[in-house]
Amino acid sequence: GKGEKAKKALWGSGRAQARKKLPERRNRPETNNPINPKSHRNMERAPDDFRHHSHRRKRGHDYREPWKYHITIMKAPGCPPFGRLTGDLALASRNPDNVKVALSRLGFLIAAEVRAIPRLTPEVEVYQYVVMPDHVHILLRVKEAMEKPLGYVIGNLTGRIGRQWRAVCGDPGAEIFEEGFNDRIIYPHRSLDAVFRYIRHNPYRLAVRQCRPGFFTRARNIVIDGKGYDAYGNMFLLRNPFKSCVVVHRADSEAVRAEKMARWLHVAANGGVLVSPFISPAEKAVRRMAEEAGGKIILIMNEAMTGRFKPSGHDFELCVAGRLLMISTATATGDKPSRGECLAMNRLAASLAWG
């Protein structure tokens, strides 16, 4: 049917790749070089956590096949920082390029090894990376089918860094990274430019959060009507007495919609807060116009707030201004909500607006 044709148009290349037979294992000479990730012996020694345990990776996804990935690796608790923020931290210019990370000796070592990935693993291309004080972001592409999954590439990367740093610091037990890594698969419909900007502007985002921590509060299990929810953003918006729930019904006449729009824009322009999941095109239009008027938003979302959840792009800028609070119903992982989920989110928005 048409639906299947649309899916094939969007995902056809990936599915064709998934059916492709992987290349036969090539004969490679054994080597005693401990930092060569393509050594069979070294791959056998890769940490267990990188052997693609199903709870760490997306189930059913073949990490040997060509895809683009956003990888995040976290610093171990006892490890020294990889660098420190420098530049214009006053945020007066709001120019993301004014903030940089001055790398430590360990940070330089990490950056050098990330850049070495394509040389040591020709099947992988590194698009962009940033070494932050306590984590590393890497945007990469698997160009052709590999014999081992991506976890072995990342495991060998962290292994090389660990061996070199332990030799430098003289501590044979020094841990550099937390176990494992986070990966986000960049599907064809996802904007690669948005991921580029996210990685490039990571130092700026950290500087903003440090300067304005109250606007980037993470709250777990806040109780609303006897039920717990996760939230992120400016928690003070919950205390604003002038909140209004935004819901546009299909049955609303043009006159009713015009009256609602006038009321909502008045609330937004006069210091109030609009509360809604903003699901329908009409509701999204309300949000856009309210934000243009300087309004504040409590966004009800169905995306679960994992430990690494942070707003990006436009939502991040609203957080910078203290104009956004995100509340998760934690019923899904960001997929299109069902009708039941939409109704539940609207009920929560109404409860917040009238509470």
Side-chain angles (χ1 to χ4, degrees), residues 49-65:
D49 190 72
F50 289 93
R51 298 191 182 203
H52 276 69
H53 293 174
S54 60
H55 71 284
R56 301 284 307 183
R57 310 277 72 87
K58 179 177 173 59
R59 181 173 299 178
H61 181 79
D62 191 344
Y63 283 84
R64 299 169 298 177
E65 289 292 326

Side-chain angles (χ1 to χ4, degrees), residues 145-212:
M146 302 188 294
E147 295 179 7
K148 296 286 187 177
L150 181 63
Y152 279 79
V153 178
I154 305 303
N156 284 314
L157 168 69
T158 58
R160 295 195 306 273
I161 294 169
R163 286 188 292 272
Q164 293 182 54
W165 180 247
R166 285 188 282 272
V168 169
C169 71
D171 180 1
E175 295 292 337
I176 313 304
F177 300 105
E178 290 184 356
E179 290 186 353
F181 64 97
N182 296 319
D183 76 87
R184 294 183 179 178
I185 304 167
I186 311 299
Y187 291 106
H189 65 275
R190 179 70 183 267
S191 169
L192 201 59
D193 287 341
V195 184
F196 268 101
R197 287 194 300 271
Y198 176 87
I199 294 177
R200 178 180 176 182
H201 296 161
N202 227 246
Y204 166 75
R205 293 161 57 85
L206 175 59
V208 169
R209 293 197 300 275
Q210 290 180 350
C211 292
R212 301 174 181 175

